[in-house]
Amino acid sequence: MNDHNLIHQSMNVPVIDLSLLLSQDSQEKSLVIKEIHEACQKSGIFHVINHGISQEVIEEALEVNRNFFDLPDIMKKDILEFGSGDPFSPVKFATFKQRAHGSDLLQRDVLRINANPIDEFLDLWPKNPADYREKMGRYTQEVRKLGNQLFEAIMESLNLGGATHLQENFGKGMQLVATNCYNSPHQESPSIKKGTPPHTDFGLITILLQTSPGLEILDSFDGKWKSAPKLEEGSFQVFVGDLLEVLSNGKYKSVMHQVIVPSSTTETRMSIASFHSFDMDDIVEPAINLVEEEGVKRYKDCSAKELLKLVFSRGFARPIEALKIEM
C-alpha cells in the first residue's frame, strides 16, 4: 500500500477575504494580515475570495487554453520547436511523464509562458487560437495585480512592510504561467495516471486556478496526504514557495503538494499556475531583520534560476533542503 491510498480526509485550508485588505478600518485590515501570517506559517497554503478578478476573465482564460490543447499537434509545432531542449525558454509546450507513488507513471501536458513584462513576451505566445494572446494577456495582467497585492500583505505579515525595495523588485520581477492539462485517464493506457508528482514551488508565491478536484497537500503536522477542499467558484489558491521560505528565514514553509486525478474522472482537468518571484537572476536571501530577530541565518542565498537548476538537474521534490545551513 502506498501513501496515496492513505488519503481519507480533506485538508483544512484557510479562506481569506481579500476585499478586507482595502478596508478603511485598520482593525479589519490587520485581522486579514494576521490570517495570512497564520496560513503561511501553519499550512503554506490558503484560498482567496473577493480578489477583484472577474469570473469573465477567468472563464475566458480557461476556455482559450482548452482550445489550445484541443488543437492538432501540427498546429502546436511552432511552440514545440521554440521551446525544445531549453528549460528556461520563455515559451514551452511539453508532455511530462514522471514516476511517483512507487510504480505509478503520472502524465500531464504543460504550456508554459513568461508573462512579465508582457510587452517583451506577448509576441512569443501561441498564435492559435487567434484570441489566445488577448485573453491570456488580460488574465495574466489581472493575476499580476493580485500577486502584487498579496506580496505586499505577506511582507506586512512578516513586519517587512517598510522594506519597499522588496515590493519594487517583486513588481518588476518574474511571472511564469504554466497551464496544465490532464486529459481523461480513460483516453490512454490504464498504467498511466494523470497527475503531477510531489513537489514544492520554486518561487515566492504561486496563484493557482483549477477546474476540478485532484490537488493533494502534505499536512506538515501529521505527515499525511490530504485532498484540497473544493473551491468556491472563481476563487484561487495561494502557495508559499521555496524562495519565500528563504526570504522569511524559515518562518513560512513552502507547501508540498501533488495532483492525482481520480480514476473515476471522465472530464479533462485543467489548472493555471502563476509563479511569482523577483527577477530570475536576483539573489534572494533571508531578510536581515528576521535573521537579527532570531540570531541565526537558516538558508543560503539563492536566485530563482539557481533553484530551478536544482530541480532540473537533481530532481529534488523539495530543492530548498539543499539551501539549509547546518546548525
Side-chain angles (χ1 to χ4, degrees), residues 182-195:
Y182 305 86
N183 290 322
S184 168
H186 302 290
Q187 293 177 3
E188 294 189 28
S189 167
S191 64
I192 300 177
K193 296 183 179 181
K194 300 299 178 180

Side-chain angles (χ1 to χ4, degrees), residues 1-12 215-217 219 222-229 258:
M1 179 180 292
N2 58 42
D3 290 343
H4 183 248
N5 291 328
L6 299 178
I7 295 174
H8 63 281
Q9 64 187 107
S10 179
M11 181 82 171
N12 182 23
L215 177 67
E216 298 169 359
I217 309 298
D219 192 326
D222 60 19
K224 294 181 180 179
W225 285 103
K226 298 178 181 178
S227 59
Q258 64 186 5

